[in-house]
Amino acid sequence: MGLCLLVTLPLEFVVGARVWRRPRRLAIALAPAFAVFVGWDLWASSTGTWGFDERYTIGVTLPGGMAVEELVFFLVVPICGLLTLEAVRIILAGGPEWRRRGAHPPQATEPKARV
């Protein structure tokens, strides 16, 4: 999870993704899926539908038997996805960070009118 954050964190500063700089918007984006998946996971682990092998976890579990790594996963992966999405949007739009570096956005071509 740390490597995932480390790889995508430069998108915040180099490209100007502005995901971390808008914490309220980030929380609003994460909250619905986080609540659903944590609830689902807690239910599944507490009922024995699935479990977590102690060899692959640090041994800290939440009430219901969910491994703390699962909770971290539900936060980190969507954040990395949002960073990537916002960076791609900025690059394709030729955003301000890229204009300063002299990069040019892709030019949209108009379809030729039929006569």
Side-chain angles (χ1 to χ4, degrees):
M1 293 296 100
L3 187 58
C4 184
L5 282 174
L6 186 66
V7 168
T8 58
L9 187 60
L11 298 174
E12 179 77 8
F13 305 106
V14 176
V15 179
R18 296 188 45 85
V19 170
W20 288 106
R21 289 179 262 184
R22 294 184 270 187
R24 183 172 181 268
R25 186 173 181 192
L26 176 61
I28 291 169
L30 294 178
F34 183 79
V36 168
F37 285 116
V38 168
W40 177 19
D41 214 299
L42 282 170
W43 172 82
S45 57
S46 69
T47 60
T49 303
W50 64 63
F52 303 95
D53 192 331
E54 290 180 14
R55 293 179 295 174
Y56 303 110
T57 64
I58 61 173
V60 177
T61 57
L62 301 172
M66 186 171 93
V68 72
E69 288 88 352
E70 194 80 346
L71 192 68
V72 171
F73 176 84
F74 292 144
L75 290 173
V76 170
V77 170
I79 290 171
C80 293
L82 285 171
L83 280 164
T84 304
L85 173 67
E86 290 300 320
V88 168
R89 283 182 177 171
I90 288 168
I91 291 169
L92 291 179
E97 299 293 327
W98 290 92
R99 285 192 195 120
R100 281 187 231 129
R101 289 178 177 77
H104 300 284
Q107 298 297 317
T109 57
E110 295 280 333
K112 293 182 180 180
R114 291 186 173 175
V115 182

